[in-house]
Amino acid sequence: MGLKHIVGIKFKKEGKVYSFCSGELSLQPDDQVVVQTENGLAIGVVVTETKEVPEEQLAAGLKDVARKATAEDLRVCENNRRLERDAAEFCTRKIRERRLPMKLVDVECLFDRSKMLFSFSAESRVDFRELVKDLVQKFRTRIELRQIGARQEARIIKGLGICGREVCCATLLQSLDRVSVKMAKEQNMSLNPEKISGLCGRLMCCLGYEYDGYVQMKKDMPRCGKVVQTPDGRGKVIRQNALQGEIVVLLEGGKEATFKTKEIRRLDPA
């Protein structure tokens, strides 16, 4: 088995990185290229250096880079972007006219205009059959309407988080991993929804960044509610400070005291 030249390519700034075979093409990061996808040709941007990878390590059906994007390819791409803007205005108007309980979020036109994808958000299922007829009649191509969730919507629309920076889902995250309330609890964060929710109304993605670290730091710490023996006597754990390696204990005499984890001894199972 031989080696294949592989590059990573993105189709959207906030999107995933996909692997393609570059063949004999000499490609550098930031090069615009035309590639084969399951939906036909598409224009993407090279985001990695070329790597030599053994064929047996590659996924089956790996697609090829067709060519570096030409001036004509870029012109077609720009025309498609204009079509997407026109389609968004038309679709939004039709949604309003038909009083459909949905919000258009994004429009994507395939490179060869063989299909247009309309992404929308809604609280529940929507009967959009008449809207599809409007779109087919107007644009004379295959139409696909796709309902997306709140996190996907925020990723497309973008915006500033409470940290003052652009939302992570639209910049540094390639995939939207699951975030749970347990992650906030492990980090002793306030469970006030206003403080731990992002622009999408869901739990902030950044709650997961340090979660594994907190779990590791708290691995040897007795949990809240456990009875322990301290240098000042018996007591019950009421708080943990993972970053400092300390726990706060309510002693039997009613006094609160702080101890290093190594200074205490468990008196019941962890």
Side-chain angles (χ1 to χ4, degrees):
M1 302 290 282
L3 298 174
K4 290 277 190 179
H5 294 118
I6 304 299
V7 291
I9 291 174
K10 274 189 174 186
F11 297 101
K12 293 184 178 181
K13 179 182 177 181
E14 69 279 4
K16 294 182 180 180
V17 177
Y18 296 90
S19 294
F20 285 85
C21 179
S22 61
E24 299 303 317
L25 292 173
S26 177
L27 300 177
Q28 302 295 328
D30 296 328
D31 283 347
Q32 292 181 290
V33 292
V34 178
V35 300
Q36 292 283 355
T37 73
E38 293 181 354
N39 291 318
L41 295 177
I43 285 189
V45 177
V46 177
V47 294
T48 68
E49 299 286 348
T50 302
K51 300 178 183 177
E52 289 188 339
V53 180
E55 289 187 49
E56 62 269 19
Q57 296 181 13
L58 299 175
L62 192 69
K63 301 294 185 181
D64 295 327
V65 176
R67 60 180 180 271
K68 286 187 177 181
T70 64
E72 177 61 19
D73 292 329
L74 297 178
R75 187 186 65 80
V76 170
C77 189
E78 180 56 34
N79 288 339
N80 288 346
R81 299 295 85 81
R82 283 197 290 268
L83 176 62
E84 289 168 353
R85 291 192 289 270
D86 293 342
E89 292 179 4
F90 177 81
C91 185
T92 299
R93 185 169 71 252
K94 288 298 180 181
I95 289 172
R96 186 166 56 248
E97 291 174 0
R98 295 190 176 279
R99 300 181 183 276
L100 295 173
M102 58 190 290
K103 180 176 73 172
L104 183 68
V105 177
D106 189 41
V107 180
E108 181 181 353
C109 177
L110 298 190
F111 184 73
D112 61 2
R113 298 195 179 187
S114 60
K115 184 170 75 172
M116 297 181 73
L117 174 63
F118 294 76
S119 299
F120 70 94
S121 62
E123 294 296 327
S124 58
R125 295 188 63 178
V126 179
D127 183 355
F128 48 66
R129 287 175 292 183
E130 294 303 315
L131 176 62
V132 171
K133 292 179 182 178
D134 293 335
L135 297 172
V136 170
Q137 184 177 25
K138 173 70 174 178
F139 299 107
R140 302 296 179 181
T141 189
R142 286 188 299 146
I143 299 295
E144 178 182 342
L145 266 71
R146 179 181 64 183
Q147 186 169 351
I148 61 175
R151 296 178 76 196
Q152 289 79 11
E153 180 181 0
R155 186 175 199 173
I156 294 171
I157 295 177
K158 304 177 179 56
L160 298 180
I162 59 174
C163 59
R165 303 186 63 165
E166 190 171 18
V167 288
C168 297
C169 58
T171 51
L172 59 92
L173 294 181
Q174 293 184 21
S175 59
L176 300 179
D177 296 328
R178 183 174 176 272
V179 182
S180 67
V181 174
K182 181 181 178 182
M183 294 178 176
K185 290 180 177 178
E186 284 287 353
Q187 297 170 70
N188 296 329
M189 298 186 67
S190 166
L191 299 185
N192 182 341
E194 293 184 359
K195 294 184 179 295
I196 60 175
S197 298
L199 297 182
C200 58
R202 304 296 189 268
L203 293 173
M204 294 187 296
C205 294
C206 57
L207 290 176
Y209 295 173
E210 299 178 356
Y211 172 68
D212 290 340
Y214 272 85
V215 170
Q216 185 64 29
M217 286 186 286
K218 296 170 75 172
K219 183 174 63 174
D220 297 324
M221 302 181 77
R223 295 195 298 270
C224 292
K226 295 301 179 180
V227 177
V228 295
Q229 180 69 42
T230 78
D232 295 343
R234 290 163 57 99
K236 182 184 293 185
V237 177
I238 57 174
R239 286 193 299 280
Q240 298 170 316
N241 186 336
L243 295 178
Q244 298 298 326
E246 297 175 340
I247 59 172
V248 179
V249 178
L250 178 62
L251 299 172
E252 289 181 338
K255 176 184 175 182
E256 288 187 14
T258 301
F259 303 93
K260 292 291 184 181
T261 303
K262 61 184 179 181
E263 295 178 312
I264 60 95
R265 178 168 56 89
R266 293 184 178 89
L267 295 180
D268 59 353

